[in-house]
Amino acid sequence: SVLILNDTASGGAWSMTNGDATIVAGTATPVMVGLDTALYAVSNSCGSDTARFTFSINPLPFAGAITGAAQVCMGSVLILNDTASGGAWSMTNGDATIVAGTATPVMVGLDTALYAVSNSCGSDTARFTFSINPLPATPVISTFLLNSVCTGTLYQNFGATVPPAVGNTYVWSAVNATVWATSPNGQFAIVSFPNAGNAEVMLTDKVATTGCSSLAIDTVAVSGAIAQTPTVLYFQFHFVCLPADEDSYQWGYDDAVTFQSTELVGEINQDYLNTNPDAGKNYWVRTTKGGCSQKTYLSVPTAIGSVNAALATVNLYPNPADGMVKVVVSSFSGSEIQLEIVDMVGQTVAAQLTVRHCSSFDVSGFPIGNYILNCYSDGLKVAVARFIKQ
């Protein structure tokens, strides 16, 4: 802006003292923010006299620039930051609310965050538009309905009611259990329970285009009783289970490709007659002994690999936590481990590489709730842990 100055005397000359502004015929034009003094000098044969007028030059408001992710999933929050201080946050259309730069989605859509900075010279507003994406439907784990097993229970079948939607991906993971294998489309998984204690088998449905995901959890209590491990043989056109003193037998098979499990109706004896076994089926028997169930293959499928075959162990403490969390990974290899913290709606909230198989995270800013720590070695998930942010 310009500042118009007037003096009651006539015939004087205008000037400025320090150059923060220029002045012509009483019109002062700011050059920089600061404090300057205008001079008005009148002279005659008897000498000169100077009037002085000091004024401040104030900055224009500047709202800076908003930074943050371009999209957020329902159920998560979006953290926005602005390079200027002292501003006020607001949203344009109510698809999200915002407090201190934390935007919380209310509904799916497109919304714009505003950051307004004001002073005596006016106001300036920075804008940031982001999309709010829907979560996929939570998958339903329907194949495995037992809520308790014995220690050492192997190769249990888990599966979702329906396959993943086009453009989505199913990912199986487990805590205190081993995901032995998953089917090519991710609908089915084979899980073993080597250790006593509560176990969780989790299925994440993730949308490839947005990264939004939902999570289903099946909790299994693993008792301290040890499951027996029988042997299955095939001779003279019979599948035979040894020993012969199991409390019950149930024969069945997994599809060799999809891993979908099928029980053979009526095949509940120690042996099962099959004169022409199908190469596309992995035959098994489910036995019970002393209250413990076990599943035993004729031969463990060799075409599948372990997804997180207990090749690493992870220790995380303290748990629950409200500040720094220490992570120590004991790995089967010498390579460092990629760590990823995921919230319960599947969003990655922190990630970093271990240093000498150790790392730490500051979770003080995390919302209260449950979190999953995934550990990867060369792209292979090798360990999982859970912790609580209090």
Side-chain angles (χ1 to χ4, degrees):
S1 300
V2 295
L3 177 64
I4 307 299
L5 300 177
N6 294 286
D7 193 279
T8 54
S10 60
W14 291 95
S15 63
M16 301 298 302
T17 57
N18 62 13
D20 286 351
T22 62
I23 192 165
V24 176
T27 299
T29 302
V31 174
M32 65 185 71
V33 173
L35 199 69
D36 208 342
T37 299
L39 307 177
Y40 185 76
V42 177
S43 300
N44 61 22
S45 59
C46 295
S48 63
D49 185 34
T50 300
R52 297 171 177 268
F53 185 84
T54 300
F55 59 91
S56 62
I57 303 168
N58 299 320
L60 292 174
F62 177 60
I66 301 174
T67 57
Q71 57 185 2
V72 64
C73 300
M74 289 295 299
S76 298
V77 296
L78 176 63
I79 306 300
L80 299 176
N81 295 286
D82 194 280
T83 53
S85 60
W89 291 96
S90 63
M91 301 298 302
T92 57
N93 61 15
D95 286 353
T97 60
I98 192 166
V99 176
T102 299
T104 303
V106 175
M107 64 184 72
V108 173
L110 200 69
D111 210 342
T112 299
L114 308 177
Y115 186 75
V117 176
S118 301
N119 64 17
S120 60
C121 293
S123 63
D124 184 38
T125 301
R127 298 171 179 268
F128 186 86
T129 299
F130 59 92
S131 61
I132 302 169
N133 300 316
L135 298 177
T138 301
V140 177
I141 301 175
S142 57
T143 297
F144 186 86
L145 300 178
L146 294 176
N147 58 12
S148 63
V149 297
C150 297
T151 298
T153 301
L154 304 176
Y155 313 129
Q156 300 301 293
N157 293 89
F158 284 75
T161 304
V162 296
V166 176
N168 289 22
T169 302
Y170 279 168
V171 177
W172 292 89
S173 58
V175 174
N176 194 38
T178 298
V179 179
W180 180 260
T182 59
S183 61
N185 70 348
Q187 184 177 1
F188 297 98
I190 298 173
V191 182
S192 296
F193 299 88
N195 304 309
N198 287 333
E200 291 181 336
V201 179
M202 296 168 284
L203 176 58
T204 301
D205 185 0
K206 187 172 185 178
V207 182
T209 55
T210 64
C212 295
S213 61
S214 56
L215 180 69
I217 301 177
D218 194 18
T219 302
V220 180
V222 185
S223 72
I226 306 299
Q228 189 183 54
T229 306
T231 300
V232 175
L233 306 175
Y234 182 77
F235 67 100
Q236 296 182 351
F237 307 117
H238 285 258
F239 289 90
V240 179
C241 178
L242 299 176
D245 61 349
E246 298 294 312
D247 296 334
S248 68
Y249 302 88
Q250 173 62 64
W251 292 92
Y253 62 85
D254 295 344
D255 185 281
V257 175
T258 68
F259 303 157
Q260 187 168 6
S261 181
T262 301
E263 290 187 355
L264 294 168
V265 178
E267 298 297 343
I268 57 174
N269 297 315
Q270 181 194 1
D271 67 315
Y272 154 53
L273 174 64
N274 186 332
T275 59
N276 187 25
D278 187 341
K281 297 175 180 178
N282 297 318
Y283 292 92
W284 49 257
V285 63
R286 181 177 293 113
T287 56
T288 57
K289 181 70 174 180
C292 291
S293 176
Q294 184 63 286
K295 178 186 176 189
T296 308
Y297 287 100
L298 171 65
S299 59
V300 176
T302 57
I304 60 178
S306 174
V307 175
N308 61 336
L311 297 177
T313 59
V314 56
N315 292 316
L316 181 152
Y317 56 92
N319 187 11
D322 59 3
M324 298 300 297
V325 171
K326 180 75 173 180
V327 178
V328 179
V329 182
S330 299
S331 175
F332 67 101
S333 71
S335 61
E336 294 297 342
I337 304 298
Q338 179 67 38
L339 304 177
E340 174 190 73
I341 295 180
V342 179
D343 62 22
M344 294 310 289
V345 295
Q347 296 296 298
T348 299
V349 296
Q352 63 190 34
L353 197 66
T354 59
V355 177
R356 293 186 291 276
H357 288 187
C358 296
S359 187
S360 59
F361 292 87
D362 184 2
V363 302
S364 59
F366 289 11
I368 294 173
N370 295 311
Y371 293 84
I372 298 171
L373 174 71
N374 293 321
C375 306
Y376 296 89
S377 177
D378 298 324
L380 175 70
K381 184 183 289 186
V382 295
V384 180
R386 290 188 66 185
F387 70 96
I388 299 172
K389 166 60 172 63
Q390 63 183 9

